Amino acid sequence: MSAAQPSAQNQSVLSFDELKSRLEPFQQTQLLRFWDSLDSNQQTHLSQQIAQVDFAQLKTLVEGNDKSVDFGELAARAAMPQAVASDGSGCDWTLEQAQQRGEEALRSGEIATVLVAGGQGTRLGFDQPKGMFPVGPVSERTLFQFFADRLIAAGEKYGVDVPLYLMTSEATHEDTRRYFEKNDYLGLKPEQVTIFQQGTMPAVDAATGDVLMADKGSLALSPDGHGGTLRALSRNGCMDEMRKNGRKHLFYFQVDNPLVGLCDPVFIGHHLLACSEMTTQVIRKRYPTEKVGNVVEIDGQTQIIEYSDLPDSAAEMTNSDGSLKLWAGNIAVHLFDLDFLERMLQLDASLPIHRASKKVPHVDAEGQQVKPDSPNATKFEQFIFDLLPHAKNTIVCEANPADAFAPVKNANGAATDTPELARQAICDLHRRWLRSCGVTVDDSVKVEINPRFAMDPAELSEKLGESGQTAAEQTISTDQYFC
Ligand code: UD1
């Protein structure tokens, strides 16, 4: 797909006539409506934006002539993919072997990470990039700080600097960049962090299919979805850099989950031992309509049916023993082989394009700003997980949601995925770790363990032993942050 891209410095500038003849066949000449009122910089900007849009593709999307999918029918014939359970069953190797293989890959610097943080956190009602949201129940650390601490801890443990590629969008880029700069890269080395911007797609008027204008001299563009990650990594030189530095696998995660098992050696080990090109972490859905993508196998290929596409009747299907048929929920943690990603880039895998109905502010035909209060536009996005059917030997690995998934998506007060619930999940998990070491912890006490103190219960037990007191002699009766 050729989406409009954020910077276009080296593009040649098309004249008014060239633009007009480009737009006419697609009935999009309204984009030149204000041309004469623009100064030459504005004309250049508009010309470059128009030059980067694939109007033929857009026309197909608007007219709905691209392949539409009957997700209910797909779900009815879905089987469950091969899954490695969190206790290690479901594969031909042991958990210890997976851990060892994953640790080897980490130690030899083969692992890089990519964090997708281009979303605007509208549901959360937070007007800064979501990664800047303070989620630490005791520390008030931000989501970004959670990830940085985990990378620092992994770096110390395995003796390598694990690189972080952080994808932003136009809406989140500057604030994110400034936040990292102002806060000393959160303890990471500046050269370890690459912040790059994703591409865009034009938003169209839902009724007419006209591309909307944000102002008289700019198209209304919106992020092209996390499916744009691969193109953005390539465009920004990150793929070449990873290759040059000997990275072989890319750990993908999203900005909203403070419990993400970032660089978990067992997950990495499963991927490597299975010779998988793309591995996905899943949880057993807690209820049928939980808002997570459904990982399924259809015609021998693993794929994800997004929750918003799945009819409730399909989500509620059960097996003969009453268990949920589509049980595997996507928590948006994937591990990719770089070779696979490069192959996908070369093939330009033409991922499917998903539509979303949104409120998009724009200027009308008279040049007046319009702020709609109901959805007026269609936005187009691609999803990274649509790469799954293209990958060989894919496996899914099951994680316990209490250990690995506490997403921050909705504002407090909502029934699910709120900051309050995420903080509670963090405390619950760390309370369990402490208790497994023999420490007495009051239920009402908030506890939070920074991975730089301990990454898992085994490390915690060692650290607690260093205090001179055995864990069994320790009692925690006030809120405590282990860091
Ligand atoms: C997402 C997954 C869903 C999964 C759930 C787990 C999609 C489409 N669905 O749902 O299958 O079960 O998370 O929590 O992703 N982002 C960008 N650029 C974009 C769009 C999104 O970087 O153009 C990032 C966001 O910052 C966020 C992530 O992608 O980190 C997920 O986006 P969001 O739209 O919030 O997905 P969910 O509906 O939560």
Side-chain angles (χ1 to χ4, degrees):
M1 177 181 97
S2 50
Q5 309 306 345
S7 86
Q9 302 310 324
N10 300 324
Q11 297 281 320
S12 62
V13 177
L14 300 179
S15 66
F16 177 85
D17 288 339
E18 286 167 321
L19 290 169
K20 192 160 170 250
S21 52
R22 182 172 281 218
L23 295 171
E24 252 163 5
F26 306 105
Q27 292 88 45
Q28 295 286 0
T29 48
Q30 81 286 350
L31 296 175
L32 299 173
R33 197 179 263 147
F34 307 109
W35 184 263
D36 291 337
S37 68
L38 304 177
D39 65 27
S40 68
N41 283 341
Q42 291 168 321
Q43 288 181 344
T44 302
H45 171 73
L46 181 60
S47 162
Q48 286 174 334
Q49 282 195 326
I50 292 174
Q52 290 181 68
V53 176
D54 181 341
F55 285 97
Q57 178 202 43
L58 196 65
K59 185 168 189 281
T60 312
L61 293 172
V62 168
E63 291 172 352
N65 291 339
D66 55 324
K67 221 166 57 186
S68 74
V69 179
D70 179 348
F71 289 101
E73 183 273 330
L74 266 191
R77 58 192 176 89
M80 290 319 293
Q82 186 198 341
V84 177
S86 46
D87 64 4
S89 54
C91 61
D92 298 335
W93 49 88
T94 63
L95 279 182
E96 292 69 30
Q97 285 168 325
Q99 165 132 2
Q100 203 180 0
R101 185 65 192 89
E103 289 185 339
E104 265 168 38
L106 281 158
R107 241 179 246 115
S108 55
E110 292 175 9
I111 309 295
T113 62
V114 62
L115 164 59
V116 292
Q120 278 185 271
T122 323
R123 283 177 282 171
L124 182 60
F126 184 61
D127 62 3
Q128 290 170 300
K130 198 187 262 189
M132 290 164 61
F133 188 84
V135 74
V138 187
S139 67
E140 300 200 351
R141 284 180 295 156
T142 62
L143 282 157
F144 281 144
Q145 187 69 59
F146 263 72
F147 310 137
D149 286 333
R150 183 108 189 162
L151 286 179
I152 294 166
E156 282 166 5
K157 186 162 180 180
Y158 302 112
V160 286
D161 294 334
V162 183
L164 172 66
Y165 291 94
L166 197 172
M167 188 173 85
T168 58
S169 60
E170 196 178 349
T172 62
H173 189 74
E174 269 317 301
D175 285 348
T176 303
R177 205 183 47 75
R178 235 176 289 128
Y179 174 75
F180 271 76
E181 272 176 20
K182 264 193 173 166
N183 291 284
D184 260 341
Y185 287 82
L186 314 180
L188 294 162
K189 295 183 184 149
E191 62 276 16
Q192 209 177 334
V193 183
T194 306
I195 301 176
F196 65 102
Q197 220 182 112
Q198 70 178 108
T200 52
M201 280 286 283
V204 301
D205 184 300
T208 62
D210 286 356
V211 171
L212 292 170
M213 300 195 75
D215 55 50
K216 290 181 180 176
S218 318
L219 310 191
L221 299 174
S222 58
D224 56 358
H226 43 57
T229 308
L230 191 47
R231 277 191 304 277
L233 279 169
S234 170
R235 195 174 55 245
N236 289 283
C238 310
M239 297 292 282
D240 290 343
E241 185 182 84
M242 282 191 263
R243 265 291 174 226
K244 197 179 83 208
N245 295 334
R247 316 295 174 198
K248 293 188 180 160
H249 317 281
L250 186 61
F251 189 109
Y252 170 103
F253 65 112
Q254 60 187 31
V255 73
D256 51 20
N257 181 14
L259 287 188
V260 59
L262 184 51
C263 294
D264 171 11
V266 175
F267 176 64
I268 296 171
H270 285 316
H271 171 88
L272 294 172
L273 291 168
C275 298
S276 160
E277 289 187 319
M278 176 172 174
T279 297
T280 292
Q281 202 167 44
V282 297
I283 52 155
R284 198 162 281 275
K285 286 192 332 188
R286 290 161 283 192
Y287 49 94
T289 52
E290 185 164 0
K291 290 194 169 175
V292 285
N294 296 270
V295 186
V296 296
E297 192 173 299
I298 292 163
D299 304 333
Q301 286 179 325
T302 307
Q303 70 179 71
I304 293 182
I305 303 180
E306 187 55 348
Y307 60 87
S308 47
D309 289 329
L310 190 70
D312 283 0
S313 55
E316 280 153 8
M317 290 186 298
T318 50
N319 298 311
S320 52
D321 63 0
S323 61
L324 208 54
K325 185 175 172 212
L326 306 185
W327 64 266
N330 167 38
I331 60 168
V333 172
H334 311 293
L335 193 63
F336 296 103
D337 275 4
L338 233 53
D339 286 346
F340 167 62
L341 291 182
E342 276 168 358
R343 199 170 80 230
M344 288 299 97
L345 256 179
Q346 270 171 21
L347 293 181
D348 192 15
S350 51
L351 299 181
I353 297 187
H354 302 256
R355 297 170 172 76
S357 197
K358 297 276 160 117
K359 290 185 263 185
V360 175
H362 61 281
V363 289
D364 64 14
E366 280 71 50
Q368 299 301 314
Q369 278 291 338
V370 180
K371 271 201 155 189
D373 28 58
S374 57
N376 62 316
T378 308
K379 286 186 179 182
F380 303 100
E381 283 193 338
Q382 288 177 309
F383 297 163
I384 190 90
F385 53 66
D386 285 328
L387 286 174
L388 261 175
H390 298 268
K392 295 189 191 125
N393 302 332
T394 53
I395 52 164
V396 303
C397 296
E398 188 184 343
N400 179 352
D403 296 338
F405 189 53
V408 176
K409 295 189 192 278
N410 303 319
N412 281 336
T416 56
D417 303 340
T418 62
E420 205 171 280
L421 291 170
R423 291 187 188 111
Q424 197 178 315
I426 296 165
C427 289
D428 287 347
L429 175 65
H430 292 166
R431 210 180 283 117
R432 271 201 313 281
W433 284 14
L434 286 159
R435 285 180 181 151
S436 74
C437 299
V439 178
T440 306
V441 195
D442 201 282
D443 265 342
S444 61
V445 160
K446 289 187 199 161
V447 284
E448 178 182 347
I449 301 167
N450 188 309
R452 296 173 75 174
F453 184 83
M455 288 183 89
D456 53 43
E459 266 185 32
L460 180 63
S461 177
E462 262 174 52
K463 270 285 175 64
L464 293 173
E466 289 168 11
S467 72
Q469 253 186 337
T470 66
E473 288 163 345
Q474 300 179 34
T475 300
I476 298 174
S477 46
T478 53
D479 295 354
Q480 197 158 332
Y481 176 41
F482 295 82
C483 58

